[in-house]
């Protein structure tokens, strides 16, 4: 959707490196979500935030961290503790449910 | 925990035929059920959704039915076309004020429509 911008489109991570995926929205939605999608599988929730300065762990939060300092922004950091980070990462927003997805970031290991 | 099961995992139909994808959910508090279509390498796009106070909803060739008692919901696509070929995901959530609104997704169904 035009109101959600994810960057970069492709990202490569070296061993032991932290990388940050950006998600910005201009839809004025309170809730924002990060999902991970592995090939041939559904989407799994990593973290979500319903309000600025507050966020909760999803089903697979280990090895990831987030912040929500502004309503418009919900960056996701993939830390070196995440041993299998290769996946398609999708950010979503929604007033009460994540109806709108960004175009995603494809993360690979170098 | 909360779970959504989706069947079949793959579905092949002839152009013009109908396609049906079925999902079951475990959390009886779920009240919102969207369906997403995802083309290769792209983001999921919402194609239709239904809330628990409704049993059926239609939008042109697409319909969704919900059986709250059995905790089943299904996607029906009629007069399928090659451009309907994609991966379809069902999801369930407990949405509304005071709830998280987080979606639990099914594993996806790869639909192939043969010309």
């Amino acid at each position: 959707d035009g109101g959600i911008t994810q960057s970069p489109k492709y990202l490569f991570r070296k061993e032991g490196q932290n990388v940050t995926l950006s998600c910005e929205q201009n839809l004025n939605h309170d809730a924002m979500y990060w999902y991970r999608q592995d090939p041939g599988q559904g989407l799994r929730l990593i973290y979500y935030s319903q309000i600025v300065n507050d966020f909760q762990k999803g089903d697979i939060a280990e090895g990831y961290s987030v912040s929500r300092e502004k309503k418009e922004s919900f960056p996701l950091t993939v830390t070196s503790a995440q041993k299998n980070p290769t996946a398609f990462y999708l950010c979503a927003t929604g007033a009460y449910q994540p109806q709108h997805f960004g175009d995603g970031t494809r993360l690979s290991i170098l | 925990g909360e779970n959504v099961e989706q069947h079949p995992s793959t579905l092949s139909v002839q152009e013009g035929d109908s396609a049906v994808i079925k999902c079951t959910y475990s959390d009886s508090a779920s009240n919102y059920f969207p369906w997403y279509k995802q083309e290769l390498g792209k983001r999921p796009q919402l194609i239709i959704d239904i809330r628990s106070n409704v049993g059926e909803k239609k939008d042109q060739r697409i319909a969704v039915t919900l059986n709250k008692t059995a905790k089943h919901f299904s996607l029906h696509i009629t007069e399928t076309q090659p451009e309907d070929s994609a991966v379809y995901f069902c999801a369930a959530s407990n949405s509304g004020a005071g709830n998280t609104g987080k979606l639990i997704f099914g594993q996806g169904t790869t639909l192939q429509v043969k010309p």
Side-chain angles (χ1 to χ4, degrees), chain A residues 1 33 35 37 41-43 45 48 50 96-99 101-103 106, chain B residues 32 36 38 41 43 49 51 89 95-97 99-103 105-106:
Chain A
D1 288 347
Y33 306 79
Y35 291 91
Q37 186 175 31
Q41 296 194 30
L43 284 71
L45 183 65
Y48 63 101
Q50 293 178 281
Y96 293 114
Q97 58 281 324
Q99 287 190 342
F101 283 88
D103 285 333
R106 202 165 294 278
Chain B
Y32 174 68
Y36 289 88
Q38 187 178 31
R43 68 177 184 267
D49 56 9
R51 296 187 185 274
F89 291 98
S95 73
N99 295 311
T100 66
K102 61 178 184 177
L103 288 172
F105 282 85

PDB file of all heavy atoms in Angstrom, chain A residues 1 33 35 37 41-43 45 48 50 96-99 101-103 106, chain B residues 32 36 38 41 43 49 51 89 95-97 99-103 105-106:
ATOM      1  N   ASP A   1       0.827  -1.205   0.000  1.00  0.00           N
ATOM      2  CA  ASP A   1       0.000   0.000   0.000  1.00  0.00           C
ATOM      3  C   ASP A   1       0.860   1.253   0.000  1.00  0.00           C
ATOM      4  O   ASP A   1       1.934   1.269   0.560  1.00  0.00           O
ATOM      5  CB  ASP A   1      -0.879   0.019   1.230  1.00  0.00           C
ATOM      6  CG  ASP A   1      -2.000  -1.020   1.145  1.00  0.00           C
ATOM      7  OD1 ASP A   1      -2.207  -1.547   0.048  1.00  0.00           O
ATOM      8  OD2 ASP A   1      -2.647  -1.272   2.156  1.00  0.00           O
ATOM      9  N   TYR A  33       2.853  -3.674  13.071  1.00  0.00           N
ATOM     10  CA  TYR A  33       3.225  -5.066  13.275  1.00  0.00           C
ATOM     11  C   TYR A  33       4.411  -5.435  12.380  1.00  0.00           C
ATOM     12  O   TYR A  33       4.544  -4.918  11.275  1.00  0.00           O
ATOM     13  CB  TYR A  33       2.058  -5.999  12.905  1.00  0.00           C
ATOM     14  CG  TYR A  33       0.751  -5.690  13.592  1.00  0.00           C
ATOM     15  CD1 TYR A  33      -0.070  -4.656  13.137  1.00  0.00           C
ATOM     16  CD2 TYR A  33       0.320  -6.431  14.685  1.00  0.00           C
ATOM     17  CE1 TYR A  33      -1.275  -4.374  13.759  1.00  0.00           C
ATOM     18  CE2 TYR A  33      -0.891  -6.156  15.311  1.00  0.00           C
ATOM     19  CZ  TYR A  33      -1.677  -5.130  14.841  1.00  0.00           C
ATOM     20  OH  TYR A  33      -2.868  -4.851  15.464  1.00  0.00           O
ATOM     21  N   TYR A  35       6.050  -8.943  10.670  1.00  0.00           N
ATOM     22  CA  TYR A  35       5.885 -10.363  10.402  1.00  0.00           C
ATOM     23  C   TYR A  35       7.109 -10.888   9.662  1.00  0.00           C
ATOM     24  O   TYR A  35       7.753 -10.171   8.900  1.00  0.00           O
ATOM     25  CB  TYR A  35       4.659 -10.623   9.525  1.00  0.00           C
ATOM     26  CG  TYR A  35       3.339 -10.364  10.205  1.00  0.00           C
ATOM     27  CD1 TYR A  35       2.738  -9.116  10.133  1.00  0.00           C
ATOM     28  CD2 TYR A  35       2.688 -11.372  10.897  1.00  0.00           C
ATOM     29  CE1 TYR A  35       1.525  -8.876  10.751  1.00  0.00           C
ATOM     30  CE2 TYR A  35       1.465 -11.148  11.519  1.00  0.00           C
ATOM     31  CZ  TYR A  35       0.891  -9.897  11.443  1.00  0.00           C
ATOM     32  OH  TYR A  35      -0.301  -9.671  12.052  1.00  0.00           O
ATOM     33  N   GLN A  37       8.178 -14.029   6.985  1.00  0.00           N
ATOM     34  CA  GLN A  37       7.645 -15.047   6.093  1.00  0.00           C
ATOM     35  C   GLN A  37       8.800 -15.852   5.523  1.00  0.00           C
ATOM     36  O   GLN A  37       9.675 -15.302   4.863  1.00  0.00           O
ATOM     37  CB  GLN A  37       6.822 -14.430   4.965  1.00  0.00           C
ATOM     38  CG  GLN A  37       6.140 -15.476   4.098  1.00  0.00           C
ATOM     39  CD  GLN A  37       5.223 -14.883   3.050  1.00  0.00           C
ATOM     40  OE1 GLN A  37       5.458 -13.779   2.558  1.00  0.00           O
ATOM     41  NE2 GLN A  37       4.162 -15.590   2.717  1.00  0.00           N
ATOM     42  N   GLN A  41       5.701 -20.632   3.410  1.00  0.00           N
ATOM     43  CA  GLN A  41       5.022 -20.663   4.699  1.00  0.00           C
ATOM     44  C   GLN A  41       4.189 -19.409   4.911  1.00  0.00           C
ATOM     45  O   GLN A  41       4.279 -18.442   4.166  1.00  0.00           O
ATOM     46  CB  GLN A  41       6.051 -20.810   5.821  1.00  0.00           C
ATOM     47  CG  GLN A  41       6.816 -22.117   5.760  1.00  0.00           C
ATOM     48  CD  GLN A  41       7.567 -22.384   7.034  1.00  0.00           C
ATOM     49  OE1 GLN A  41       7.157 -21.963   8.118  1.00  0.00           O
ATOM     50  NE2 GLN A  41       8.670 -23.103   6.911  1.00  0.00           N
ATOM     51  N   GLY A  42       3.405 -19.462   5.977  1.00  0.00           N
ATOM     52  CA  GLY A  42       2.590 -18.304   6.322  1.00  0.00           C
ATOM     53  C   GLY A  42       3.400 -17.243   7.044  1.00  0.00           C
ATOM     54  O   GLY A  42       4.622 -17.343   7.169  1.00  0.00           O
ATOM     55  N   LEU A  43       2.713 -16.236   7.521  1.00  0.00           N
ATOM     56  CA  LEU A  43       3.349 -15.126   8.215  1.00  0.00           C
ATOM     57  C   LEU A  43       3.324 -15.367   9.721  1.00  0.00           C
ATOM     58  O   LEU A  43       2.292 -15.763  10.273  1.00  0.00           O
ATOM     59  CB  LEU A  43       2.606 -13.817   7.920  1.00  0.00           C
ATOM     60  CG  LEU A  43       2.831 -13.182   6.553  1.00  0.00           C
ATOM     61  CD1 LEU A  43       2.174 -13.980   5.442  1.00  0.00           C
ATOM     62  CD2 LEU A  43       2.302 -11.754   6.555  1.00  0.00           C
ATOM     63  N   LEU A  45       4.212 -13.609  13.534  1.00  0.00           N
ATOM     64  CA  LEU A  45       4.327 -12.303  14.179  1.00  0.00           C
ATOM     65  C   LEU A  45       5.591 -12.214  15.012  1.00  0.00           C
ATOM     66  O   LEU A  45       5.835 -13.060  15.878  1.00  0.00           O
ATOM     67  CB  LEU A  45       3.091 -12.060  15.046  1.00  0.00           C
ATOM     68  CG  LEU A  45       2.994 -10.713  15.743  1.00  0.00           C
ATOM     69  CD1 LEU A  45       2.874  -9.581  14.723  1.00  0.00           C
ATOM     70  CD2 LEU A  45       1.802 -10.697  16.688  1.00  0.00           C
ATOM     71  N   TYR A  48       4.753  -6.343  17.896  1.00  0.00           N
ATOM     72  CA  TYR A  48       3.716  -5.402  17.524  1.00  0.00           C
ATOM     73  C   TYR A  48       3.651  -4.269  18.539  1.00  0.00           C
ATOM     74  O   TYR A  48       4.105  -4.410  19.680  1.00  0.00           O
ATOM     75  CB  TYR A  48       2.355  -6.085  17.361  1.00  0.00           C
ATOM     76  CG  TYR A  48       1.792  -6.722  18.611  1.00  0.00           C
ATOM     77  CD1 TYR A  48       0.805  -6.081  19.358  1.00  0.00           C
ATOM     78  CD2 TYR A  48       2.203  -7.992  19.016  1.00  0.00           C
ATOM     79  CE1 TYR A  48       0.260  -6.676  20.493  1.00  0.00           C
ATOM     80  CE2 TYR A  48       1.671  -8.590  20.141  1.00  0.00           C
ATOM     81  CZ  TYR A  48       0.700  -7.938  20.878  1.00  0.00           C
ATOM     82  OH  TYR A  48       0.176  -8.538  21.991  1.00  0.00           O
ATOM     83  N   GLN A  50       0.907  -1.088  19.773  1.00  0.00           N
ATOM     84  CA  GLN A  50      -0.427  -0.496  19.648  1.00  0.00           C
ATOM     85  C   GLN A  50      -0.429   0.996  19.941  1.00  0.00           C
ATOM     86  O   GLN A  50      -1.432   1.673  19.684  1.00  0.00           O
ATOM     87  CB  GLN A  50      -1.398  -1.208  20.593  1.00  0.00           C
ATOM     88  CG  GLN A  50      -1.654  -2.653  20.206  1.00  0.00           C
ATOM     89  CD  GLN A  50      -2.567  -3.365  21.176  1.00  0.00           C
ATOM     90  OE1 GLN A  50      -2.153  -3.792  22.242  1.00  0.00           O
ATOM     91  NE2 GLN A  50      -3.820  -3.511  20.807  1.00  0.00           N
ATOM     92  N   TYR A  96      -7.337  -1.643  14.167  1.00  0.00           N
ATOM     93  CA  TYR A  96      -7.576  -2.749  15.090  1.00  0.00           C
ATOM     94  C   TYR A  96      -7.058  -4.067  14.539  1.00  0.00           C
ATOM     95  O   TYR A  96      -6.988  -5.043  15.232  1.00  0.00           O
ATOM     96  CB  TYR A  96      -9.070  -2.884  15.401  1.00  0.00           C
ATOM     97  CG  TYR A  96      -9.601  -1.713  16.172  1.00  0.00           C
ATOM     98  CD1 TYR A  96     -10.527  -0.854  15.604  1.00  0.00           C
ATOM     99  CD2 TYR A  96      -9.167  -1.461  17.462  1.00  0.00           C
ATOM    100  CE1 TYR A  96     -11.007   0.236  16.314  1.00  0.00           C
ATOM    101  CE2 TYR A  96      -9.644  -0.382  18.176  1.00  0.00           C
ATOM    102  CZ  TYR A  96     -10.565   0.453  17.597  1.00  0.00           C
ATOM    103  OH  TYR A  96     -11.043   1.525  18.294  1.00  0.00           O
ATOM    104  N   GLN A  97      -6.702  -4.088  13.256  1.00  0.00           N
ATOM    105  CA  GLN A  97      -6.120  -5.292  12.669  1.00  0.00           C
ATOM    106  C   GLN A  97      -5.235  -4.868  11.513  1.00  0.00           C
ATOM    107  O   GLN A  97      -5.499  -3.866  10.865  1.00  0.00           O
ATOM    108  CB  GLN A  97      -7.213  -6.253  12.159  1.00  0.00           C
ATOM    109  CG  GLN A  97      -8.156  -5.687  11.138  1.00  0.00           C
ATOM    110  CD  GLN A  97      -9.238  -4.817  11.758  1.00  0.00           C
ATOM    111  OE1 GLN A  97      -9.721  -5.087  12.839  1.00  0.00           O
ATOM    112  NE2 GLN A  97      -9.580  -3.744  11.079  1.00  0.00           N
ATOM    113  N   PRO A  98      -4.148  -5.620  11.241  1.00  0.00           N
ATOM    114  CA  PRO A  98      -3.179  -5.218  10.216  1.00  0.00           C
ATOM    115  C   PRO A  98      -3.677  -5.473   8.811  1.00  0.00           C
ATOM    116  O   PRO A  98      -3.344  -6.458   8.196  1.00  0.00           O
ATOM    117  CB  PRO A  98      -1.960  -6.059  10.541  1.00  0.00           C
ATOM    118  CG  PRO A  98      -2.498  -7.259  11.211  1.00  0.00           C
ATOM    119  CD  PRO A  98      -3.694  -6.808  11.974  1.00  0.00           C
ATOM    120  N   GLN A  99      -4.483  -4.604   8.288  1.00  0.00           N
ATOM    121  CA  GLN A  99      -5.021  -4.777   6.952  1.00  0.00           C
ATOM    122  C   GLN A  99      -4.064  -4.347   5.870  1.00  0.00           C
ATOM    123  O   GLN A  99      -4.187  -4.751   4.742  1.00  0.00           O
ATOM    124  CB  GLN A  99      -6.302  -3.962   6.794  1.00  0.00           C
ATOM    125  CG  GLN A  99      -7.484  -4.548   7.528  1.00  0.00           C
ATOM    126  CD  GLN A  99      -8.769  -3.858   7.140  1.00  0.00           C
ATOM    127  OE1 GLN A  99      -8.762  -2.766   6.590  1.00  0.00           O
ATOM    128  NE2 GLN A  99      -9.883  -4.474   7.425  1.00  0.00           N
ATOM    129  N   PHE A 101      -0.201  -3.877   4.324  1.00  0.00           N
ATOM    130  CA  PHE A 101       1.177  -4.334   4.373  1.00  0.00           C
ATOM    131  C   PHE A 101       2.076  -3.442   3.525  1.00  0.00           C
ATOM    132  O   PHE A 101       1.649  -2.907   2.501  1.00  0.00           O
ATOM    133  CB  PHE A 101       1.296  -5.766   3.844  1.00  0.00           C
ATOM    134  CG  PHE A 101       0.845  -6.823   4.818  1.00  0.00           C
ATOM    135  CD1 PHE A 101      -0.479  -7.217   4.863  1.00  0.00           C
ATOM    136  CD2 PHE A 101       1.740  -7.408   5.685  1.00  0.00           C
ATOM    137  CE1 PHE A 101      -0.899  -8.189   5.759  1.00  0.00           C
ATOM    138  CE2 PHE A 101       1.338  -8.379   6.583  1.00  0.00           C
ATOM    139  CZ  PHE A 101       0.009  -8.772   6.623  1.00  0.00           C
ATOM    140  N   GLY A 102       3.326  -3.314   3.947  1.00  0.00           N
ATOM    141  CA  GLY A 102       4.338  -2.696   3.109  1.00  0.00           C
ATOM    142  C   GLY A 102       4.820  -3.695   2.069  1.00  0.00           C
ATOM    143  O   GLY A 102       4.377  -4.844   2.041  1.00  0.00           O
ATOM    144  N   ASP A 103       5.747  -3.256   1.217  1.00  0.00           N
ATOM    145  CA  ASP A 103       6.250  -4.108   0.141  1.00  0.00           C
ATOM    146  C   ASP A 103       7.278  -5.134   0.599  1.00  0.00           C
ATOM    147  O   ASP A 103       7.676  -5.999  -0.166  1.00  0.00           O
ATOM    148  CB  ASP A 103       6.860  -3.245  -0.968  1.00  0.00           C
ATOM    149  CG  ASP A 103       5.785  -2.563  -1.804  1.00  0.00           C
ATOM    150  OD1 ASP A 103       4.668  -3.111  -1.891  1.00  0.00           O
ATOM    151  OD2 ASP A 103       6.064  -1.487  -2.368  1.00  0.00           O
ATOM    152  N   ARG A 106      13.622  -8.147   1.869  1.00  0.00           N
ATOM    153  CA  ARG A 106      14.153  -9.515   1.768  1.00  0.00           C
ATOM    154  C   ARG A 106      15.558  -9.513   2.358  1.00  0.00           C
ATOM    155  O   ARG A 106      16.447  -8.827   1.838  1.00  0.00           O
ATOM    156  CB  ARG A 106      14.165  -9.953   0.309  1.00  0.00           C
ATOM    157  CG  ARG A 106      14.180 -11.465   0.133  1.00  0.00           C
ATOM    158  CD  ARG A 106      13.819 -11.847  -1.304  1.00  0.00           C
ATOM    159  NE  ARG A 106      12.461 -11.519  -1.666  1.00  0.00           N
ATOM    160  CZ  ARG A 106      11.406 -12.266  -1.381  1.00  0.00           C
ATOM    161  NH1 ARG A 106      11.553 -13.396  -0.713  1.00  0.00           N
ATOM    162  NH2 ARG A 106      10.204 -11.892  -1.778  1.00  0.00           N
TER     163      ARG A 106
ATOM    164  N   TYR B  32     -12.682 -11.643  13.731  1.00  0.00           N
ATOM    165  CA  TYR B  32     -12.380 -10.985  12.463  1.00  0.00           C
ATOM    166  C   TYR B  32     -11.554 -11.956  11.620  1.00  0.00           C
ATOM    167  O   TYR B  32     -10.559 -12.512  12.102  1.00  0.00           O
ATOM    168  CB  TYR B  32     -11.610  -9.694  12.715  1.00  0.00           C
ATOM    169  CG  TYR B  32     -11.133  -9.017  11.455  1.00  0.00           C
ATOM    170  CD1 TYR B  32     -12.030  -8.444  10.552  1.00  0.00           C
ATOM    171  CD2 TYR B  32      -9.775  -8.961  11.148  1.00  0.00           C
ATOM    172  CE1 TYR B  32     -11.591  -7.840   9.400  1.00  0.00           C
ATOM    173  CE2 TYR B  32      -9.334  -8.353   9.996  1.00  0.00           C
ATOM    174  CZ  TYR B  32     -10.242  -7.798   9.123  1.00  0.00           C
ATOM    175  OH  TYR B  32      -9.801  -7.195   7.976  1.00  0.00           O
ATOM    176  N   TYR B  36      -6.120 -13.004   2.374  1.00  0.00           N
ATOM    177  CA  TYR B  36      -5.123 -12.265   1.622  1.00  0.00           C
ATOM    178  C   TYR B  36      -4.683 -13.063   0.402  1.00  0.00           C
ATOM    179  O   TYR B  36      -4.610 -14.286   0.446  1.00  0.00           O
ATOM    180  CB  TYR B  36      -3.880 -11.984   2.485  1.00  0.00           C
ATOM    181  CG  TYR B  36      -4.095 -10.964   3.570  1.00  0.00           C
ATOM    182  CD1 TYR B  36      -4.570 -11.349   4.818  1.00  0.00           C
ATOM    183  CD2 TYR B  36      -3.823  -9.614   3.347  1.00  0.00           C
ATOM    184  CE1 TYR B  36      -4.769 -10.409   5.826  1.00  0.00           C
ATOM    185  CE2 TYR B  36      -4.020  -8.680   4.341  1.00  0.00           C
ATOM    186  CZ  TYR B  36      -4.491  -9.089   5.578  1.00  0.00           C
ATOM    187  OH  TYR B  36      -4.693  -8.149   6.560  1.00  0.00           O
ATOM    188  N   GLN B  38      -1.433 -13.319  -2.214  1.00  0.00           N
ATOM    189  CA  GLN B  38      -0.040 -12.916  -2.350  1.00  0.00           C
ATOM    190  C   GLN B  38       0.540 -13.483  -3.638  1.00  0.00           C
ATOM    191  O   GLN B  38       0.637 -14.698  -3.811  1.00  0.00           O
ATOM    192  CB  GLN B  38       0.794 -13.385  -1.151  1.00  0.00           C
ATOM    193  CG  GLN B  38       2.217 -12.843  -1.176  1.00  0.00           C
ATOM    194  CD  GLN B  38       3.020 -13.264   0.047  1.00  0.00           C
ATOM    195  OE1 GLN B  38       2.817 -14.333   0.606  1.00  0.00           O
ATOM    196  NE2 GLN B  38       3.959 -12.426   0.465  1.00  0.00           N
ATOM    197  N   GLY B  41       6.711 -12.886  -4.670  1.00  0.00           N
ATOM    198  CA  GLY B  41       7.620 -11.793  -4.357  1.00  0.00           C
ATOM    199  C   GLY B  41       6.964 -10.498  -3.931  1.00  0.00           C
ATOM    200  O   GLY B  41       7.652  -9.493  -3.727  1.00  0.00           O
ATOM    201  N   ARG B  43       3.768  -8.242  -1.635  1.00  0.00           N
ATOM    202  CA  ARG B  43       3.123  -8.218  -0.320  1.00  0.00           C
ATOM    203  C   ARG B  43       1.740  -8.863  -0.386  1.00  0.00           C
ATOM    204  O   ARG B  43       1.105  -8.879  -1.426  1.00  0.00           O
ATOM    205  CB  ARG B  43       2.970  -6.762   0.156  1.00  0.00           C
ATOM    206  CG  ARG B  43       1.988  -5.959  -0.639  1.00  0.00           C
ATOM    207  CD  ARG B  43       1.834  -4.548  -0.077  1.00  0.00           C
ATOM    208  NE  ARG B  43       0.813  -3.804  -0.788  1.00  0.00           N
ATOM    209  CZ  ARG B  43       1.062  -3.015  -1.816  1.00  0.00           C
ATOM    210  NH1 ARG B  43       2.289  -2.872  -2.242  1.00  0.00           N
ATOM    211  NH2 ARG B  43       0.078  -2.366  -2.412  1.00  0.00           N
ATOM    212  N   ASP B  49     -12.896  -9.771   3.732  1.00  0.00           N
ATOM    213  CA  ASP B  49     -12.861 -10.093   5.154  1.00  0.00           C
ATOM    214  C   ASP B  49     -14.285 -10.244   5.666  1.00  0.00           C
ATOM    215  O   ASP B  49     -15.243  -9.813   5.025  1.00  0.00           O
ATOM    216  CB  ASP B  49     -12.083  -9.051   5.964  1.00  0.00           C
ATOM    217  CG  ASP B  49     -12.625  -7.634   5.789  1.00  0.00           C
ATOM    218  OD1 ASP B  49     -13.704  -7.450   5.190  1.00  0.00           O
ATOM    219  OD2 ASP B  49     -11.956  -6.689   6.254  1.00  0.00           O
ATOM    220  N   ARG B  51     -16.637 -10.452   9.536  1.00  0.00           N
ATOM    221  CA  ARG B  51     -16.676 -10.352  10.993  1.00  0.00           C
ATOM    222  C   ARG B  51     -17.654 -11.368  11.539  1.00  0.00           C
ATOM    223  O   ARG B  51     -18.520 -11.867  10.828  1.00  0.00           O
ATOM    224  CB  ARG B  51     -17.041  -8.927  11.412  1.00  0.00           C
ATOM    225  CG  ARG B  51     -15.986  -7.927  10.975  1.00  0.00           C
ATOM    226  CD  ARG B  51     -16.209  -6.528  11.498  1.00  0.00           C
ATOM    227  NE  ARG B  51     -15.221  -5.615  10.929  1.00  0.00           N
ATOM    228  CZ  ARG B  51     -14.009  -5.422  11.437  1.00  0.00           C
ATOM    229  NH1 ARG B  51     -13.647  -6.077  12.526  1.00  0.00           N
ATOM    230  NH2 ARG B  51     -13.162  -4.587  10.856  1.00  0.00           N
ATOM    231  N   PHE B  89      -3.952 -16.701   1.784  1.00  0.00           N
ATOM    232  CA  PHE B  89      -3.820 -16.909   3.223  1.00  0.00           C
ATOM    233  C   PHE B  89      -5.111 -16.517   3.927  1.00  0.00           C
ATOM    234  O   PHE B  89      -5.675 -15.455   3.658  1.00  0.00           O
ATOM    235  CB  PHE B  89      -2.691 -16.053   3.803  1.00  0.00           C
ATOM    236  CG  PHE B  89      -1.316 -16.467   3.369  1.00  0.00           C
ATOM    237  CD1 PHE B  89      -0.682 -15.807   2.340  1.00  0.00           C
ATOM    238  CD2 PHE B  89      -0.667 -17.502   4.010  1.00  0.00           C
ATOM    239  CE1 PHE B  89       0.600 -16.186   1.935  1.00  0.00           C
ATOM    240  CE2 PHE B  89       0.614 -17.882   3.622  1.00  0.00           C
ATOM    241  CZ  PHE B  89       1.244 -17.224   2.579  1.00  0.00           C
ATOM    242  N   SER B  95     -10.315  -8.754  17.305  1.00  0.00           N
ATOM    243  CA  SER B  95     -10.101  -7.323  17.076  1.00  0.00           C
ATOM    244  C   SER B  95     -11.118  -6.501  17.845  1.00  0.00           C
ATOM    245  O   SER B  95     -12.066  -7.024  18.408  1.00  0.00           O
ATOM    246  CB  SER B  95     -10.200  -7.006  15.588  1.00  0.00           C
ATOM    247  OG  SER B  95     -11.543  -7.074  15.166  1.00  0.00           O
ATOM    248  N   GLY B  96     -10.899  -5.207  17.867  1.00  0.00           N
ATOM    249  CA  GLY B  96     -11.795  -4.311  18.576  1.00  0.00           C
ATOM    250  C   GLY B  96     -11.081  -3.643  19.731  1.00  0.00           C
ATOM    251  O   GLY B  96      -9.973  -4.020  20.103  1.00  0.00           O
ATOM    252  N   ALA B  97     -11.732  -2.646  20.281  1.00  0.00           N
ATOM    253  CA  ALA B  97     -11.131  -1.859  21.349  1.00  0.00           C
ATOM    254  C   ALA B  97     -10.714  -2.753  22.514  1.00  0.00           C
ATOM    255  O   ALA B  97     -11.459  -3.622  22.948  1.00  0.00           O
ATOM    256  CB  ALA B  97     -12.116  -0.802  21.837  1.00  0.00           C
ATOM    257  N   ASN B  99      -8.364  -4.995  22.457  1.00  0.00           N
ATOM    258  CA  ASN B  99      -7.696  -6.221  22.012  1.00  0.00           C
ATOM    259  C   ASN B  99      -6.487  -5.870  21.163  1.00  0.00           C
ATOM    260  O   ASN B  99      -6.370  -4.762  20.655  1.00  0.00           O
ATOM    261  CB  ASN B  99      -8.673  -7.090  21.219  1.00  0.00           C
ATOM    262  CG  ASN B  99      -9.811  -7.583  22.084  1.00  0.00           C
ATOM    263  OD1 ASN B  99      -9.590  -8.098  23.169  1.00  0.00           O
ATOM    264  ND2 ASN B  99     -11.026  -7.405  21.613  1.00  0.00           N
ATOM    265  N   THR B 100      -5.611  -6.867  20.989  1.00  0.00           N
ATOM    266  CA  THR B 100      -4.367  -6.582  20.279  1.00  0.00           C
ATOM    267  C   THR B 100      -4.573  -6.458  18.778  1.00  0.00           C
ATOM    268  O   THR B 100      -3.809  -5.786  18.104  1.00  0.00           O
ATOM    269  CB  THR B 100      -3.331  -7.677  20.531  1.00  0.00           C
ATOM    270  OG1 THR B 100      -3.783  -8.903  19.943  1.00  0.00           O
ATOM    271  CG2 THR B 100      -3.092  -7.880  22.019  1.00  0.00           C
ATOM    272  N   GLY B 101      -5.553  -7.150  18.241  1.00  0.00           N
ATOM    273  CA  GLY B 101      -5.781  -7.143  16.802  1.00  0.00           C
ATOM    274  C   GLY B 101      -4.761  -7.941  16.023  1.00  0.00           C
ATOM    275  O   GLY B 101      -4.767  -7.918  14.787  1.00  0.00           O
ATOM    276  N   LYS B 102      -3.882  -8.652  16.697  1.00  0.00           N
ATOM    277  CA  LYS B 102      -2.857  -9.389  15.945  1.00  0.00           C
ATOM    278  C   LYS B 102      -3.492 -10.553  15.207  1.00  0.00           C
ATOM    279  O   LYS B 102      -4.389 -11.222  15.714  1.00  0.00           O
ATOM    280  CB  LYS B 102      -1.747  -9.873  16.872  1.00  0.00           C
ATOM    281  CG  LYS B 102      -2.188 -10.817  17.969  1.00  0.00           C
ATOM    282  CD  LYS B 102      -0.991 -11.257  18.798  1.00  0.00           C
ATOM    283  CE  LYS B 102      -1.410 -12.284  19.833  1.00  0.00           C
ATOM    284  NZ  LYS B 102      -0.265 -12.792  20.608  1.00  0.00           N
ATOM    285  N   LEU B 103      -3.010 -10.780  13.997  1.00  0.00           N
ATOM    286  CA  LEU B 103      -3.544 -11.821  13.134  1.00  0.00           C
ATOM    287  C   LEU B 103      -2.771 -13.119  13.295  1.00  0.00           C
ATOM    288  O   LEU B 103      -1.541 -13.109  13.365  1.00  0.00           O
ATOM    289  CB  LEU B 103      -3.479 -11.377  11.671  1.00  0.00           C
ATOM    290  CG  LEU B 103      -4.463 -10.297  11.235  1.00  0.00           C
ATOM    291  CD1 LEU B 103      -4.136  -9.843   9.818  1.00  0.00           C
ATOM    292  CD2 LEU B 103      -5.889 -10.784  11.310  1.00  0.00           C
ATOM    293  N   PHE B 105      -2.124 -16.406  11.116  1.00  0.00           N
ATOM    294  CA  PHE B 105      -2.272 -16.794   9.717  1.00  0.00           C
ATOM    295  C   PHE B 105      -2.296 -18.301   9.533  1.00  0.00           C
ATOM    296  O   PHE B 105      -1.627 -19.047  10.269  1.00  0.00           O
ATOM    297  CB  PHE B 105      -1.122 -16.230   8.879  1.00  0.00           C
ATOM    298  CG  PHE B 105      -1.254 -14.778   8.548  1.00  0.00           C
ATOM    299  CD1 PHE B 105      -0.829 -13.805   9.436  1.00  0.00           C
ATOM    300  CD2 PHE B 105      -1.825 -14.371   7.350  1.00  0.00           C
ATOM    301  CE1 PHE B 105      -0.966 -12.457   9.139  1.00  0.00           C
ATOM    302  CE2 PHE B 105      -1.951 -13.033   7.039  1.00  0.00           C
ATOM    303  CZ  PHE B 105      -1.526 -12.071   7.937  1.00  0.00           C
ATOM    304  N   GLY B 106      -3.035 -18.748   8.540  1.00  0.00           N
ATOM    305  CA  GLY B 106      -2.926 -20.114   8.071  1.00  0.00           C
ATOM    306  C   GLY B 106      -1.645 -20.270   7.262  1.00  0.00           C
ATOM    307  O   GLY B 106      -0.941 -19.294   6.994  1.00  0.00           O
TER     308      GLY B 106
END
